[in-house]
Amino acid sequence: MRAVVVKSFGGPEVVEVVETALPEPGPGQVRIKVTAAALNPVDAAYGAGVLVPLPENGLLGLGWDVAGTVDAVGAGTPFAAGAEVVALAYGPGTVKAQAEHVVVDSSAVAPAPASVDAVLASSVPLNTLTAAQALDLLDPAPGSTLLVTGAAGAVGGYAVQLAHRAGITVIGVAGAADEELVRSFGADRFVERGAPAGPFDAVLDAAVLGADALAHVRDGGDYVGVIPHAGPLGVRGIRVRAVEVAADGNRLAELVKLVDEGALTPRVARTYPLEQAPEAYRRLAEGGARGRLVLVP
């Protein structure tokens, strides 16, 4: 089968599509025939060598988000062949979600949403789980004020929707051109990027602004970032933490239900065939896409 990998670290130029062995599921695992796999910034970070080393075999697979059909199962899994699913292909591996098949732990899998196609569904797992688990860390009380940076992006947009649903007063930060989009997610207020605002009870820093985002938090408030071990230094009694996303099929299933209810809005900017993965990574590096780029094997 074909899979997207890197054999050395760098930019989009190191991304390759290679032939590799079809993986087999072990106990508690499922193999998914991939229909669609979204690209995320973490994939580019893997390819750049920022997060993990190359495996001993010299191949590092790319892709955390997958939608597809279960086509083989190991012992002790609740899923059966033929099930339409989404999953988080967590952590490093020789083969990950950007491939024709991927093996994942069944605990990372959830039934696919019924209301959207596989391309849109593939953009759900990583970003909804990151937003939900970041909000868990903050645990804001209903009526408290939450600033979400990068509110027009994938994690930020989902965070705005989830926080609004929970009764939080949400202030969304993005570029001026995205005000209508951010307000459509349920933001109570919009702040143009770079404008003064606050102080607020907490910030979810999806745009990775660091100290610039922290400056908008009240004394004794909360800051949660989306890159582990990369947050700003805490000042003024502000608690500084970062979410480290965990694969959680049960939580993902709850988030999928919110997609089907229309409470969460998956967005895709463009699809590419698997063989055009390097081109997709070049587009990812340019930034500014409103919605995920998705590979379709």
Side-chain angles (χ1 to χ4, degrees):
M1 69 163 201
R2 297 176 301 160
V4 179
V5 304
V6 296
K7 299 176 184 176
S8 61
F9 292 133
E13 73 282 354
V14 303
V15 175
E16 298 183 45
V17 181
V18 301
E19 292 287 338
T20 188
L22 183 69
E24 295 296 336
Q29 294 182 318
V30 301
R31 187 176 69 204
I32 300 171
K33 187 178 188 302
V34 178
T35 306
L39 277 67
N40 288 280
V42 67
D43 297 312
Y46 264 40
V50 173
L51 297 178
V52 295
L54 284 174
E56 290 185 4
N57 67 358
L59 296 179
L60 181 64
L62 300 179
W64 288 57
D65 275 330
V66 61
T69 306
V70 174
D71 75 342
V73 299
T77 173
F79 294 92
E84 299 294 324
V85 296
V86 291
L88 185 69
Y90 181 86
T94 298
V95 174
K96 283 174 58 71
Q98 292 165 18
E100 291 180 317
H101 294 80
V102 63
V103 168
V104 296
D105 292 341
S106 58
S107 60
V109 181
S115 59
V116 299
D117 63 17
V119 170
L120 282 166
S122 74
S123 70
V124 169
L126 177 60
N127 295 296
T128 61
L129 283 169
T130 300
Q133 292 170 7
L135 288 169
D136 289 346
L137 277 179
L138 288 168
D139 193 23
S144 62
T145 54
L146 172 66
L147 185 73
V148 178
T149 70
V155 172
Y158 285 134
V160 171
Q161 291 182 306
L162 289 169
H164 172 74
R165 180 181 175 85
I168 312 304
T169 300
V170 185
I171 301 89
V173 178
D178 289 315
E179 179 174 359
E180 183 177 350
L181 175 66
V182 171
R183 289 189 182 278
S184 76
F185 293 150
D188 298 281
R189 286 178 54 194
F190 176 82
V191 174
E192 186 175 350
R193 190 186 302 118
F200 304 109
D201 294 317
V203 60
L204 196 166
D205 188 16
V208 197
L209 301 182
D212 288 343
L214 192 74
H216 298 297
V217 181
R218 65 167 173 81
D219 294 356
D222 287 277
Y223 169 104
V224 165
V226 295
I227 301 179
H229 316 298
L233 294 175
V235 294
R236 297 183 285 109
I238 298 170
R239 290 173 292 275
V240 174
R241 291 164 291 172
V243 63
E244 187 162 1
V245 69
D248 184 341
N250 291 332
R251 187 66 177 281
L252 181 56
E254 295 173 1
L255 295 164
V256 163
K257 289 179 181 178
L258 294 181
V259 172
D260 283 336
E261 292 172 10
L264 292 177
T265 309
R267 293 173 290 153
V268 167
R270 182 176 171 183
T271 62
Y272 296 81
L274 195 67
E275 60 269 19
Q276 292 182 13
E279 181 181 337
Y281 274 88
R282 284 190 287 272
R283 177 64 188 91
L284 180 67
E286 292 172 1
R290 288 293 169 255
R292 283 289 169 243
L293 308 172
V294 176
L295 296 175
V296 180

PDB file of all heavy atoms in Angstrom, residues 4 21 93 127 145 150 157 162 190 238 257 283:
ATOM      1  N   VAL A   4       2.243   8.203   3.283  1.00  0.00           N
ATOM      2  CA  VAL A   4       2.985   9.458   3.278  1.00  0.00           C
ATOM      3  C   VAL A   4       3.973   9.430   4.446  1.00  0.00           C
ATOM      4  O   VAL A   4       3.581   9.209   5.600  1.00  0.00           O
ATOM      5  CB  VAL A   4       2.043  10.665   3.401  1.00  0.00           C
ATOM      6  CG1 VAL A   4       2.830  11.972   3.424  1.00  0.00           C
ATOM      7  CG2 VAL A   4       1.041  10.667   2.248  1.00  0.00           C
ATOM      8  N   ALA A  21       4.447  -2.103   3.554  1.00  0.00           N
ATOM      9  CA  ALA A  21       3.643  -3.289   3.837  1.00  0.00           C
ATOM     10  C   ALA A  21       2.290  -2.908   4.436  1.00  0.00           C
ATOM     11  O   ALA A  21       2.168  -1.929   5.177  1.00  0.00           O
ATOM     12  CB  ALA A  21       4.397  -4.199   4.800  1.00  0.00           C
ATOM     13  N   GLY A  93       4.889   6.899  14.341  1.00  0.00           N
ATOM     14  CA  GLY A  93       4.847   5.553  13.789  1.00  0.00           C
ATOM     15  C   GLY A  93       5.344   5.563  12.364  1.00  0.00           C
ATOM     16  O   GLY A  93       5.409   6.607  11.712  1.00  0.00           O
ATOM     17  N   ASN A 127      -8.666  18.170  16.167  1.00  0.00           N
ATOM     18  CA  ASN A 127      -8.981  19.550  16.537  1.00  0.00           C
ATOM     19  C   ASN A 127     -10.117  19.651  17.541  1.00  0.00           C
ATOM     20  O   ASN A 127     -10.072  20.496  18.452  1.00  0.00           O
ATOM     21  CB  ASN A 127      -9.268  20.362  15.283  1.00  0.00           C
ATOM     22  CG  ASN A 127      -8.043  20.475  14.405  1.00  0.00           C
ATOM     23  OD1 ASN A 127      -7.046  21.058  14.788  1.00  0.00           O
ATOM     24  ND2 ASN A 127      -8.090  19.882  13.218  1.00  0.00           N
ATOM     25  N   THR A 145     -15.498  34.917  31.517  1.00  0.00           N
ATOM     26  CA  THR A 145     -15.046  35.420  30.224  1.00  0.00           C
ATOM     27  C   THR A 145     -13.837  34.632  29.741  1.00  0.00           C
ATOM     28  O   THR A 145     -12.873  34.417  30.487  1.00  0.00           O
ATOM     29  CB  THR A 145     -14.691  36.908  30.315  1.00  0.00           C
ATOM     30  OG1 THR A 145     -13.749  37.120  31.369  1.00  0.00           O
ATOM     31  CG2 THR A 145     -15.945  37.745  30.568  1.00  0.00           C
ATOM     32  N   GLY A 150      -6.855  32.882  17.684  1.00  0.00           N
ATOM     33  CA  GLY A 150      -6.982  31.988  16.527  1.00  0.00           C
ATOM     34  C   GLY A 150      -8.390  31.469  16.372  1.00  0.00           C
ATOM     35  O   GLY A 150      -8.610  30.322  15.972  1.00  0.00           O
ATOM     36  N   GLY A 157     -11.848  27.722  16.405  1.00  0.00           N
ATOM     37  CA  GLY A 157     -13.257  27.738  16.031  1.00  0.00           C
ATOM     38  C   GLY A 157     -14.082  26.739  16.819  1.00  0.00           C
ATOM     39  O   GLY A 157     -15.183  27.051  17.301  1.00  0.00           O
ATOM     40  N   LEU A 162     -17.717  25.226  21.444  1.00  0.00           N
ATOM     41  CA  LEU A 162     -17.905  24.442  22.667  1.00  0.00           C
ATOM     42  C   LEU A 162     -18.109  25.337  23.878  1.00  0.00           C
ATOM     43  O   LEU A 162     -18.957  25.061  24.739  1.00  0.00           O
ATOM     44  CB  LEU A 162     -16.705  23.523  22.881  1.00  0.00           C
ATOM     45  CG  LEU A 162     -16.575  22.340  21.912  1.00  0.00           C
ATOM     46  CD1 LEU A 162     -15.206  21.684  22.057  1.00  0.00           C
ATOM     47  CD2 LEU A 162     -17.687  21.323  22.141  1.00  0.00           C
ATOM     48  N   PHE A 190     -15.953  40.184  19.418  1.00  0.00           N
ATOM     49  CA  PHE A 190     -14.852  39.953  18.476  1.00  0.00           C
ATOM     50  C   PHE A 190     -13.774  40.989  18.731  1.00  0.00           C
ATOM     51  O   PHE A 190     -14.070  42.176  18.914  1.00  0.00           O
ATOM     52  CB  PHE A 190     -15.341  40.063  17.028  1.00  0.00           C
ATOM     53  CG  PHE A 190     -14.232  39.935  16.017  1.00  0.00           C
ATOM     54  CD1 PHE A 190     -13.773  38.693  15.625  1.00  0.00           C
ATOM     55  CD2 PHE A 190     -13.634  41.079  15.478  1.00  0.00           C
ATOM     56  CE1 PHE A 190     -12.733  38.576  14.709  1.00  0.00           C
ATOM     57  CE2 PHE A 190     -12.601  40.968  14.562  1.00  0.00           C
ATOM     58  CZ  PHE A 190     -12.154  39.715  14.173  1.00  0.00           C
ATOM     59  N   ILE A 238      -1.112  34.164  37.361  1.00  0.00           N
ATOM     60  CA  ILE A 238      -1.852  33.450  36.307  1.00  0.00           C
ATOM     61  C   ILE A 238      -1.332  32.017  36.211  1.00  0.00           C
ATOM     62  O   ILE A 238      -0.131  31.780  36.147  1.00  0.00           O
ATOM     63  CB  ILE A 238      -1.704  34.169  34.956  1.00  0.00           C
ATOM     64  CG1 ILE A 238      -2.292  35.574  35.035  1.00  0.00           C
ATOM     65  CG2 ILE A 238      -2.376  33.367  33.843  1.00  0.00           C
ATOM     66  CD1 ILE A 238      -1.963  36.436  33.830  1.00  0.00           C
ATOM     67  N   LYS A 257     -21.304  13.464  17.900  1.00  0.00           N
ATOM     68  CA  LYS A 257     -22.734  13.742  18.062  1.00  0.00           C
ATOM     69  C   LYS A 257     -23.018  15.238  17.943  1.00  0.00           C
ATOM     70  O   LYS A 257     -24.042  15.642  17.388  1.00  0.00           O
ATOM     71  CB  LYS A 257     -23.218  13.210  19.412  1.00  0.00           C
ATOM     72  CG  LYS A 257     -23.293  11.694  19.493  1.00  0.00           C
ATOM     73  CD  LYS A 257     -23.753  11.231  20.869  1.00  0.00           C
ATOM     74  CE  LYS A 257     -23.791   9.717  20.944  1.00  0.00           C
ATOM     75  NZ  LYS A 257     -24.187   9.241  22.304  1.00  0.00           N
ATOM     76  N   ARG A 283       1.079  23.840   0.508  1.00  0.00           N
ATOM     77  CA  ARG A 283      -0.046  24.743   0.794  1.00  0.00           C
ATOM     78  C   ARG A 283      -0.218  24.940   2.300  1.00  0.00           C
ATOM     79  O   ARG A 283      -0.492  26.070   2.761  1.00  0.00           O
ATOM     80  CB  ARG A 283      -1.346  24.191   0.179  1.00  0.00           C
ATOM     81  CG  ARG A 283      -2.587  25.031   0.481  1.00  0.00           C
ATOM     82  CD  ARG A 283      -2.472  26.409  -0.138  1.00  0.00           C
ATOM     83  NE  ARG A 283      -3.552  27.302   0.272  1.00  0.00           N
ATOM     84  CZ  ARG A 283      -3.496  28.111   1.332  1.00  0.00           C
ATOM     85  NH1 ARG A 283      -2.397  28.138   2.091  1.00  0.00           N
ATOM     86  NH2 ARG A 283      -4.508  28.894   1.641  1.00  0.00           N
TER      87      ARG A 283
END
